[in-house]
Amino acid sequence: MDIQTIDRLNQQTLAGKRVLVRVDFNVPIEAGQIQSDQRMRAALPTIEYLLKNQAQVVLMSHLGRPDGQVVEDLRLKPVGEHLETLLGQKVCSLSETMGEKVKAALQATDANVILLENTRFYPGETDNDPDFSRQLAELGDLYVNDAFGAAHRAHASTAGVAEYLPAYAGLLMQREILALNKLLDSPEHPFVAVIGGAKVSSKLGVLENLLDSVDMLVIGGAMAFTFLAAQGREVGQSLVEPELYDTALSLLAAAKKSNTEIILPIDSVMAESKDANEIRKVVCLQTDSGDISELAGVDIGPDSIRQLKQKLQGLKTILWNGPMGVFENPCFAKGTEAMAEILAQATDNGAYSVVGGGDSVAAVEKLGFTDRFSHISTGGGASLEFLEGKTLPGIAALRA
């Protein structure tokens, strides 16, 4: 898909222009403090590019799910304050998103960076209301979408505004598209996709779309138990989706036909619940594991980790989306951390690697491995839908 990108614009076309930029500043905040600014830092190159070319930058973003009404804890002011630190210059944070007060503030401020209030405080945002889109468009001369993490949403600020202004992809959006297209269009082999997380249903489209492209498909996290249970394995109280047993078996059969190796856990760390503070036992999933009727799988076991270290050698292309276990509980994070180490080592040895999904990215950040992967995606749901082969509304709106 040929899209308009801001690197086609220069100082001659940008100087003195007001550029309306959709960013994804939906960052975790606790007690007014930002817990991870990865998404904000990812947007800095676009903001700095526009500033360098003498444009005034008007930023818009959502935060959380306020459902079309003002929620005080979801105001963007803390984000604006942190952005000032990242940019090293003044950021004017407004308490509204559109309207005459906002227009007056844009005229009056001496700041070159303005942050509008949470777009989702208005029902017109998620409804992609044409009137709301038009009112947003009145705030700028050009529109730039750099919010890849929200590109799968047909909202006013991600798609609707592009109907009223010349529309371009930001540098982050461009980088995300190029990185994911490399996986879909021209991957070097061996190519492995490591897919984890809770439910098969949320990743089924990706599994099916990648099946003929990858050499190996590693399935971890709770979603692995649906495949194991479909094969008649005992999984105790582990999370499963019985309605997808037939689908899981069909996927396994299709993989065999396309000569794609599917790697499932061979042992599992079991506990009374995902919130437990201790491991009850590690069970082999290939044999009779004894009575685990009251236990649930919360991580891949040590034999699975050893198997992965052996199998994942000599890789040229890697996609990782989703944890191997209940990563947010430190007791059950070893499998995810081991996977991060295995894939980082493969990248060190020359593999091209893309990491997407909140917990996978969190594991990479926690271990200080960010620089050891080729691309860290800012999109969870967006990257999944892109890899399913779907057209994302926020990208389609930027067609040249």
Coordinates of all heavy atoms in Angstrom, one line a residue, residues 287-324:
T287 N 3.2 -37.4 29.7 CA 2.9 -38.6 30.4 C 1.9 -38.4 31.5 O 1.4 -37.2 31.7 CB 4.2 -39.2 31.0 OG1 4.7 -38.2 32.0 CG2 5.3 -39.5 30.0
D288 N 1.5 -39.4 32.2 CA 0.5 -39.2 33.3 C 1.2 -38.4 34.3 O 2.2 -38.8 34.9 CB 0.2 -40.6 33.8 CG -0.8 -40.5 35.0 OD1 -1.3 -39.4 35.2 OD2 -1.1 -41.5 35.7
S289 N 0.6 -37.2 34.6 CA 1.3 -36.3 35.5 C 0.7 -36.4 36.9 O 1.0 -35.5 37.8 CB 1.1 -34.9 35.0 OG -0.3 -34.6 34.7
G290 N 0.0 -37.4 37.2 CA -0.6 -37.5 38.6 C -1.8 -36.6 38.7 O -2.3 -36.1 37.7
D291 N -2.2 -36.4 39.9 CA -3.4 -35.6 40.2 C -3.1 -34.1 40.1 O -2.5 -33.6 41.0 CB -4.0 -36.0 41.6 CG -5.3 -35.2 41.8 OD1 -5.9 -34.7 40.8 OD2 -5.8 -35.2 43.0
I292 N -3.6 -33.5 39.1 CA -3.4 -32.0 39.0 C -4.8 -31.4 38.8 O -4.9 -30.2 38.3 CB -2.5 -31.6 37.8 CG1 -3.0 -32.2 36.4 CG2 -1.1 -32.1 38.0 CD1 -2.3 -31.7 35.2
S293 N -5.8 -32.1 39.2 CA -7.2 -31.6 39.0 C -7.5 -30.3 39.6 O -8.4 -29.6 39.2 CB -8.2 -32.7 39.4 OG -8.0 -32.9 40.8
E294 N -6.8 -29.9 40.7 CA -7.0 -28.6 41.3 C -6.0 -27.6 41.0 O -6.0 -26.5 41.6 CB -7.0 -28.9 42.9 CG -8.1 -29.9 43.4 CD -9.5 -29.4 43.0 OE1 -9.8 -28.2 43.2 OE2 -10.3 -30.3 42.6
L295 N -5.1 -27.9 40.0 CA -4.0 -27.0 39.7 C -4.2 -26.4 38.3 O -4.8 -27.1 37.4 CB -2.7 -27.7 39.9 CG -2.3 -28.2 41.2 CD1 -1.0 -28.9 41.2 CD2 -2.3 -27.1 42.3
A296 N -3.5 -25.3 38.0 CA -3.5 -24.7 36.7 C -2.1 -24.4 36.2 O -1.2 -24.1 37.0 CB -4.3 -23.4 36.7
G297 N -1.9 -24.5 34.9 CA -0.6 -24.2 34.4 C -0.4 -22.7 34.3 O -1.2 -22.0 33.9
V298 N 0.8 -22.3 34.8 CA 1.1 -20.8 34.9 C 2.4 -20.4 34.2 O 2.7 -19.2 34.1 CB 1.1 -20.4 36.4 CG1 -0.3 -20.4 37.0 CG2 2.1 -21.2 37.2
D299 N 3.1 -21.4 33.7 CA 4.4 -21.1 33.0 C 4.9 -22.4 32.3 O 4.5 -23.5 32.7 CB 5.4 -20.6 34.0 CG 6.6 -19.9 33.3 OD1 6.5 -19.6 32.1 OD2 7.6 -19.5 34.0
I300 N 5.7 -22.2 31.3 CA 6.4 -23.4 30.8 C 7.4 -23.9 31.8 O 8.0 -23.1 32.5 CB 7.0 -23.1 29.4 CG1 8.0 -22.0 29.4 CG2 5.9 -22.8 28.4 CD1 8.8 -21.8 28.2
G301 N 7.7 -25.2 31.7 CA 8.7 -25.7 32.7 C 10.1 -25.8 32.2 O 10.4 -25.4 31.0
P302 N 11.0 -26.2 33.0 CA 12.4 -26.3 32.7 C 12.8 -27.1 31.5 O 13.7 -26.8 30.7 CB 13.1 -26.8 33.9 CG 12.0 -27.4 34.7 CD 10.8 -26.7 34.4
D303 N 12.1 -28.3 31.3 CA 12.3 -29.1 30.1 C 11.9 -28.4 28.8 O 12.6 -28.5 27.8 CB 11.6 -30.4 30.2 CG 12.2 -31.4 31.3 OD1 13.4 -31.1 31.6 OD2 11.6 -32.3 31.7
S304 N 10.8 -27.6 28.9 CA 10.4 -26.9 27.7 C 11.4 -25.8 27.4 O 11.7 -25.6 26.2 CB 9.0 -26.2 28.0 OG 8.0 -27.2 28.2
I305 N 12.0 -25.1 28.4 CA 13.0 -24.1 28.1 C 14.2 -24.8 27.5 O 14.8 -24.2 26.5 CB 13.4 -23.4 29.4 CG1 12.2 -22.6 30.0 CG2 14.6 -22.5 29.3 CD1 12.4 -22.0 31.4
R306 N 14.6 -25.9 28.0 CA 15.8 -26.6 27.4 C 15.5 -27.0 25.9 O 16.4 -26.9 25.0 CB 16.1 -27.9 28.2 CG 17.0 -27.5 29.5 CD 17.5 -28.8 30.1 NE 16.5 -29.5 30.8 CZ 16.2 -29.3 32.1 NH1 16.8 -28.3 32.8 NH2 15.2 -29.9 32.7
Q307 N 14.2 -27.5 25.7 CA 13.9 -27.8 24.3 C 13.9 -26.6 23.4 O 14.4 -26.7 22.3 CB 12.4 -28.4 24.3 CG 11.9 -28.8 22.9 CD 10.4 -28.9 22.9 OE1 9.7 -28.2 23.5 NE2 10.0 -30.0 22.1
L308 N 13.5 -25.5 23.9 CA 13.5 -24.3 23.0 C 14.9 -23.8 22.7 O 15.2 -23.3 21.6 CB 12.7 -23.2 23.7 CG 11.1 -23.4 23.8 CD1 10.5 -22.5 24.8 CD2 10.5 -23.3 22.4
K309 N 15.8 -23.9 23.7 CA 17.2 -23.5 23.5 C 17.8 -24.3 22.4 O 18.6 -23.8 21.6 CB 18.0 -23.6 24.8 CG 17.7 -22.5 25.8 CD 18.5 -22.7 27.1 CE 18.2 -21.6 28.1 NZ 19.0 -21.8 29.4
Q310 N 17.4 -25.6 22.4 CA 17.9 -26.5 21.4 C 17.3 -26.3 20.0 O 18.0 -26.2 19.0 CB 17.7 -28.0 21.8 CG 18.2 -29.0 20.8 CD 17.8 -30.4 21.2 OE1 17.1 -30.6 22.2 NE2 18.1 -31.4 20.4
K311 N 16.0 -26.0 20.0 CA 15.3 -25.9 18.7 C 15.6 -24.6 18.0 O 15.7 -24.5 16.8 CB 13.8 -26.1 18.9 CG 13.4 -27.4 19.3 CD 13.0 -28.3 18.1 CE 12.3 -29.6 18.5 NZ 12.1 -30.4 17.3
L312 N 15.7 -23.5 18.8 CA 15.7 -22.2 18.3 C 17.2 -21.8 18.0 O 17.7 -20.8 18.6 CB 15.0 -21.2 19.2 CG 13.5 -21.5 19.4 CD1 12.9 -20.4 20.3 CD2 12.8 -21.7 18.1
Q313 N 17.8 -22.5 17.1 CA 19.2 -22.2 16.8 C 19.3 -21.8 15.3 O 18.5 -22.3 14.5 CB 20.1 -23.5 17.0 CG 20.2 -23.9 18.5 CD 21.1 -23.0 19.3 OE1 22.0 -22.4 18.8 NE2 20.8 -22.9 20.6
G314 N 20.2 -20.9 15.0 CA 20.4 -20.6 13.6 C 19.3 -19.8 12.9 O 19.1 -19.8 11.7
L315 N 18.5 -19.1 13.7 CA 17.3 -18.4 13.2 C 17.7 -17.2 12.4 O 18.8 -16.5 12.7 CB 16.4 -17.9 14.4 CG 15.8 -19.0 15.2 CD1 15.1 -18.4 16.4 CD2 14.9 -19.9 14.4
K316 N 16.9 -16.9 11.4 CA 17.2 -15.7 10.6 C 16.1 -14.6 10.7 O 16.3 -13.4 10.6 CB 17.3 -16.0 9.1 CG 18.5 -16.8 8.7 CD 19.8 -16.1 9.0 CE 21.0 -16.8 8.5 NZ 22.3 -16.1 8.8
T317 N 14.8 -15.1 11.1 CA 13.7 -14.2 11.3 C 12.9 -14.6 12.5 O 12.7 -15.8 12.6 CB 12.8 -14.1 10.0 OG1 13.6 -13.8 8.9 CG2 11.7 -13.1 10.2
I318 N 12.5 -13.6 13.3 CA 11.8 -13.9 14.6 C 10.6 -13.0 14.7 O 10.7 -11.8 14.6 CB 12.7 -13.8 15.8 CG1 13.9 -14.7 15.8 CG2 11.9 -13.9 17.1 CD1 15.0 -14.4 16.7
L319 N 9.5 -13.5 15.1 CA 8.3 -12.7 15.6 C 8.0 -13.3 16.9 O 7.8 -14.5 17.1 CB 7.1 -12.9 14.6 CG 5.8 -12.4 15.2 CD1 5.8 -10.9 15.4 CD2 4.6 -12.8 14.3
W320 N 7.9 -12.4 17.9 CA 7.5 -12.8 19.2 C 6.3 -11.9 19.7 O 6.4 -10.7 19.8 CB 8.6 -12.7 20.2 CG 8.3 -13.1 21.6 CD1 7.3 -14.0 22.0 CD2 8.9 -12.8 22.9 NE1 7.2 -14.1 23.4 CE2 8.3 -13.4 23.9 CE3 10.0 -11.9 23.1 CZ2 8.7 -13.3 25.2 CZ3 10.4 -11.8 24.5 CH2 9.7 -12.5 25.5
N321 N 5.2 -12.6 20.0 CA 4.0 -11.8 20.5 C 3.3 -12.7 21.6 O 2.7 -13.7 21.3 CB 3.0 -11.5 19.3 CG 1.9 -10.6 19.8 OD1 1.1 -11.0 20.6 ND2 1.8 -9.4 19.2
G322 N 3.5 -12.3 22.8 CA 2.8 -12.9 23.9 C 3.7 -13.7 24.8 O 4.7 -14.3 24.4
P323 N 3.4 -13.7 26.1 CA 4.3 -14.3 27.1 C 4.1 -15.8 27.2 O 3.1 -16.4 26.7 CB 3.8 -13.7 28.4 CG 2.4 -13.4 28.2 CD 2.3 -13.0 26.8
M324 N 5.1 -16.5 27.8 CA 5.0 -17.9 27.9 C 4.3 -18.4 29.2 O 3.9 -19.5 29.3 CB 6.5 -18.5 28.0 CG 7.3 -18.3 26.8 SD 6.7 -19.1 25.3 CE 5.7 -17.8 24.5

